[in-house]
Amino acid sequence: MKKSLIALTLAALPVAAMADVTLYGTIKAGVEVSRVKNQGVKTKTATQIADFGSKIGFKGQEDFGNGMKAIWQLEQKASIAGTNSGWGNRQSFIGLKGDFGTVRAGNLNTVLKDSGDNVNAWESGSNTEDVLGLGTIGRVESREISVRYDSPVFAGFSGSVQYVPRDNANDVDKYKHTKSSRESYHAGLKYENAGFFGQYAGSFAKYADLNTDAERVAVNTANAHAVKDYQVHRVVAGYDANDLYVSVAGQHEAAKNNEVGSPTIGKKHEQTQVAATAAYRFGNVTPRVSYAHGFKAKVNGEKVASYQYDQVIVGADYDFSKRTSALVSAGWLKQGKGAEKVEKTASMVGLRHKF
């Protein structure tokens, strides 16, 4: 009875109200097995059913004529484990698109996060994203409440600029401004031609806060460290055509200690990372391999081996159809040296369906 009432209600809506609205999403999950070896001591093996970042969204547009359109999107996480809640917690926005390019405002991927599509080609759960995915080099990627402009394509080139206002970056301080502004600026440049591509993506914030894993966090986050002149620069290049995919990426992060009263205030934090991925499609099967390396980091002006790492991921996708694929992968990550060495291993089998 309820299904009939819903169907009748939908049928009664004006056709125009339903036009240009698209429901889309991805459901992806599987079984993961992982283990950690810390200073020679192995943990028990963990086996979990994990969500790999399922999502559901609605998007649409209204054509004003003369090439001008209003565009919008509302996207949210949809974990099969039932751990996500709320609307618009993924990329969600409203904007205008025309011959001049695209302007959007909302919860937007940074330019660095968009470039991640050509850096990390793997699926994983949140517990294994640094082993079964290139999560360490991807720690600089985020979504921000921001305004963003993307240019049209000119001779294969396109660019993006993005701004995060100080009172979106630190909402609790919006009427007092007792903290230094955490506003940030983001920019990118992309080139594509005959399967070849190249990207630059960068981010800068005069003041920021980093956790112990060097990830940007909100002001007043426990155990966070205040820094200044925080910046990230990433370059990606590769080829994607004729069933072959190859990409290489290099990334450099830098900042200065800005903790009041610290004897190392003004000292540099720096790290450089590189990653490479290759894949080739054979019929319905696409085997893939990735390698990533993090060089020794500089913390308060001194090199620290615990941030150095090597990582290898191997796996394959099998496409049952254009929408449904089986996934399998295995990863190995070694961080640090000597007494600080930590090794992580993980593997997974899963299923992905797009709609």
Side-chain angles (χ1 to χ4, degrees):
M1 180 66 180
K2 289 183 179 180
K3 290 183 179 179
S4 298
L5 287 173
I6 292 171
L8 287 170
T9 302
L10 291 173
L13 290 173
V15 174
M18 301 290 290
D20 295 324
V21 178
T22 302
L23 169 67
Y24 68 95
T26 305
I27 305 298
K28 46 187 178 180
V31 178
E32 293 182 336
V33 178
S34 59
R35 188 169 65 175
V36 179
K37 184 179 179 182
N38 192 345
Q39 299 179 14
V41 180
K42 294 181 180 179
T43 66
K44 299 291 186 180
T45 299
T47 303
Q48 296 176 297
I49 295 174
D51 183 84
F52 298 157
S54 300
K55 65 181 181 181
I56 187 169
F58 307 87
K59 61 183 177 181
Q61 62 182 33
E62 181 183 5
D63 194 336
F64 301 144
N66 297 319
M68 177 76 78
K69 296 178 181 179
I71 59 173
W72 62 271
Q73 179 173 297
L74 186 66
E75 186 176 291
Q76 36 280 323
K77 299 174 184 177
S79 171
I80 64 156
T83 54
N84 301 142
S85 62
W87 290 83
N89 51 34
R90 286 179 60 94
Q91 182 161 246
S92 302
F93 58 81
I94 190 167
L96 293 173
K97 184 176 183 179
D99 294 337
F100 60 88
T102 303
V103 177
R104 296 173 291 164
N107 187 25
L108 297 167
N109 291 349
T110 62
V111 180
L112 277 164
K113 187 169 183 64
D114 280 344
S115 71
D117 291 341
N118 285 320
V119 177
N120 185 11
W122 302 94
E123 307 281 14
S124 66
S126 58
N127 185 56
T128 59
E129 62 185 356
D130 60 339
V131 186
L132 292 177
L134 300 182
T136 304
I137 195 171
R139 68 190 177 202
V140 298
E141 300 170 8
S142 64
R143 296 186 187 91
E144 306 287 347
I145 305 298
S146 57
V147 60
R148 174 170 165 168
Y149 168 74
D150 297 286
S151 78
V153 178
F154 298 102
F157 288 94
S158 60
S160 304
V161 290
Q162 187 173 5
Y163 172 64
V164 181
R166 69 169 295 158
D167 296 324
N168 285 110
N170 187 14
D171 179 70
V172 298
D173 193 39
K174 59 180 176 288
Y175 293 124
K176 297 179 180 179
H177 290 183
T178 58
K179 296 284 187 180
S180 300
S181 173
R182 265 56 174 180
E183 67 184 1
S184 59
Y185 305 85
H186 310 261
L189 181 65
K190 182 189 296 184
Y191 176 75
E192 294 180 324
N193 182 34
F196 293 95
F197 64 85
Q199 291 177 281
Y200 164 79
S203 175
F204 175 80
K206 185 62 178 177
Y207 300 98
D209 300 87
L210 306 181
N211 65 14
T212 54
D213 292 323
E215 296 173 315
R216 284 187 65 189
V217 293
V219 184
N220 296 327
T221 298
N223 301 316
H225 306 282
V227 298
K228 66 182 297 185
D229 298 335
Y230 171 80
Q231 54 192 294
V232 183
H233 303 279
R234 174 187 284 176
V235 177
V236 188
Y239 179 80
D240 186 10
N242 302 315
D243 296 325
L244 174 65
Y245 176 85
V246 178
S247 74
V248 292
Q251 178 173 292
H252 181 72
E253 304 163 61
K256 296 177 182 178
N257 186 326
N258 197 43
E259 293 185 275
V260 177
S262 171
T264 55
I265 191 167
K267 296 292 185 178
K268 288 185 177 181
H269 300 311
E270 292 182 303
Q271 189 179 25
T272 299
Q273 301 175 68
V274 293
T277 296
Y280 191 83
R281 183 179 179 87
F282 297 92
N284 288 9
V285 180
T286 305
R288 184 184 300 110
V289 60
S290 288
Y291 170 73
H293 175 75
F295 297 91
K296 286 183 179 179
K298 186 178 286 187
V299 179
N300 292 323
E302 297 183 3
K303 289 189 175 182
V304 178
S306 60
Y307 284 89
Q308 182 176 335
Y309 73 90
D310 288 285
Q311 180 181 9
V312 177
I313 312 173
V314 294
D317 299 350
Y318 178 83
D319 298 329
F320 294 106
S321 66
K322 291 183 178 180
R323 295 186 175 185
T324 304
S325 302
L327 317 169
V328 60
S329 65
W332 169 81
L333 173 69
K334 184 186 74 172
Q335 297 172 298
K337 285 187 174 182
E340 297 182 331
K341 186 170 72 172
V342 177
E343 290 184 82
K344 300 180 181 180
T345 56
S347 58
M348 74 85 164
V349 291
L351 199 63
R352 178 182 60 218
H353 177 76
K354 299 178 181 180
F355 60 90

